[in-house]
Amino acid sequence: SKLDTGLLEPKRRATAVLASLGDEAAEPLRRLFQSATRDQWREGVARNVLAVCALAEDDWGVPIALEALRSPKESQRGDAVLVLLKHPSPELFDPLAASLAGFRLEVHLTRVLSAMAACDVNRLAAAMPEWVARAERVGDYIESTVIDAAAPLVGTVDDPEVAAMLLRLAEENDALLLRHQAYLLAPAARAGLGDARQRLMDLLAHEQRMPRHHASEALLRAGLVDDTYVLAATAEDAGERSQTLERILDFDAETGAERSPEQRADVIQWAQLALRDEEAKVRETALKGLLARRDEQGRAFLMALLKGTVVERGLGMRAMRGQLDGWTAASDQARNLVASVYEAELAGARRGDVLTSTLQAMGAIPGRESGLFLLQAGDLVGENPIRGVSGFRWCVGQAFNAGRASQEVLRDRLLVEQDPMKRLDLISFIWQDFEVESVQALVDVLDDASRSPYERLYAADRAVRMGHAEILLPVMKRVYRSESDRVLRRGLHCLLWVWFGPSLA
């Protein structure tokens, strides 16, 4: 019933809950979908059902999506494709292919083709010659939304026979744009067929950036991303050098591919060379990749940045954020270095930009000690403003940025903090990690009759956004029914009504 309501939050929560139920939700949702499709005014309910199916981890929503794929409404068919895209299988290829001609919007065409590729990329590739033959010509070149969307998808083909067919297609059709040709050549480059790999390398030297970009993407899809290093080393544009280096550095993690020891050594060497690039963006990308690989040269470069100028410390902070997790030695060294810079500045010139930059850098270093340091600094700064907010609140935000261990410090501080404004600052960040422990911390505030009704209501307002209604809802209902304070009662009534519906309010 909540999927059929006009209230956003009950509908959103019902969608998430139903998606987690598994097969038992399939039949009720199918009946709801069928009843909604019989009434043109309830199309939104049908789309809500498909949203549930798209969120589900299991494929019980696929039959509902196949039924929706026959809908006369393009928006509903587009939602159905999202379900099939999440649960692809070879037998779904034909229904998706049959639906392709019925879509007009580019976003839906791209979605259908992506789903077809996920089901069977070789069959998608086999359809390319026919699509090329039927494509509209504008002047000397093909203009086709279908080919624009399908070409990059076939770049991942690994069947040698299909790769050979795509190579012939690229060689025999001068009307194909360079970006189309690049992706058609990619499978042949992977298989070592003809001169496909060299042709892609030649495109990397093209005078225009977009052909270089598509050649780089094609080599990435072919698993030959290291061939693109020439752009990282020679491109005139810093953004292109940085983007290319980032692709190379991220390739292992994003694709699960295994590089040989020699290839890994090459990648590290390239990143180390990029630390001397004249552009900060390139140095940042290189340093981030080196830190992710626990490289000692990258670590030494980071430490030099952290004790350098404000600008250098900012570069180090951005590069190390998220890269030091589990690297305790480097985290401790960085924390001690930043703390020493902060304390020296505090005892000397007290330049605000230097103090702020060190505290912000501390927020990028994971660990409980970082949170403790930042809260101590926040107590010292107090109400003095930093970037438009009180110093304490700003430091709490930096502590939140320092990761889970640091976020535990915020919850611990909430237990003992007596200043009402500081408690509100702590709550304003605690709720953002969505951890069960944080939900419980806010529920404890709501359930504490010694606290201000405004603080208790604020804690409830933040907690409802975190999920875990099984923890929060019983306490909300009990406090609502037992408390006499008008502010708290009215506020809880509104929250219950908006988030859970009239039946619980």
Side-chain angles (χ1 to χ4, degrees), residues 457 460-461 464-465 476 491-500:
L457 184 58
D461 176 74
V464 291
R465 290 162 167 75
M476 281 186 71
L492 290 176
H493 182 272
C494 290
L495 288 174
L496 287 165
W497 201 92
V498 168
W499 284 83
F500 301 105

Side-chain angles (χ1 to χ4, degrees), residues 102-248:
F103 287 102
R104 294 292 177 265
L105 294 178
E106 182 177 348
V107 63
H108 290 149
L109 286 171
T110 301
R111 192 179 292 172
V112 174
L113 290 165
S114 297
M116 291 168 64
C119 291
D120 193 332
V121 70
N122 290 325
R123 289 188 66 186
L124 178 73
M128 288 292 291
E130 180 182 352
W131 290 336
V132 169
R134 289 164 39 194
E136 180 182 353
R137 262 66 170 177
V138 177
D140 294 330
Y141 295 102
I142 284 172
E143 187 171 281
S144 167
T145 304
V146 171
I147 295 175
D148 287 347
L153 298 171
V154 303
T156 61
V157 164
D158 57 7
D159 184 303
E161 292 185 6
V162 179
M165 179 273 292
L166 292 174
L167 176 60
R168 290 193 299 273
L169 184 64
E171 292 174 338
E172 295 169 1
N173 287 273
D174 294 337
L176 287 168
L177 298 173
L178 285 178
R179 68 173 182 267
H180 301 145
Q181 292 180 29
Y183 296 111
L184 295 180
L185 291 171
R190 180 206 300 271
L193 301 177
D195 63 348
R197 188 169 183 174
Q198 185 58 52
R199 288 173 65 182
L200 288 175
M201 293 295 292
D202 292 342
L203 272 181
L204 291 178
H206 198 279
E207 61 182 8
Q208 296 180 11
R209 180 166 180 174
M210 288 314 296
R212 297 197 301 269
H213 166 76
H214 289 295
S216 180
E217 280 289 328
L219 285 166
L220 172 66
R221 291 167 188 266
L224 302 171
V225 69
D226 290 355
D227 284 0
T228 67
Y229 174 65
V230 62
L231 289 182
T234 65
E236 293 184 5
D237 182 76
E240 190 171 7
R241 294 200 302 276
S242 175
Q243 185 181 52
T244 304
L245 184 60
E246 186 173 20
R247 283 198 194 101
I248 293 171

Side-chain angles (χ1 to χ4, degrees), residues 423-443:
R423 289 178 61 82
L424 292 177
D425 290 335
L426 290 164
I427 291 171
S428 70
F429 284 96
I430 286 173
W431 79 272
Q432 296 182 53
D433 65 16
F434 288 81
E435 295 292 328
V436 173
E437 294 83 359
S438 294
V439 176
Q440 189 60 58
L442 299 192
V443 169

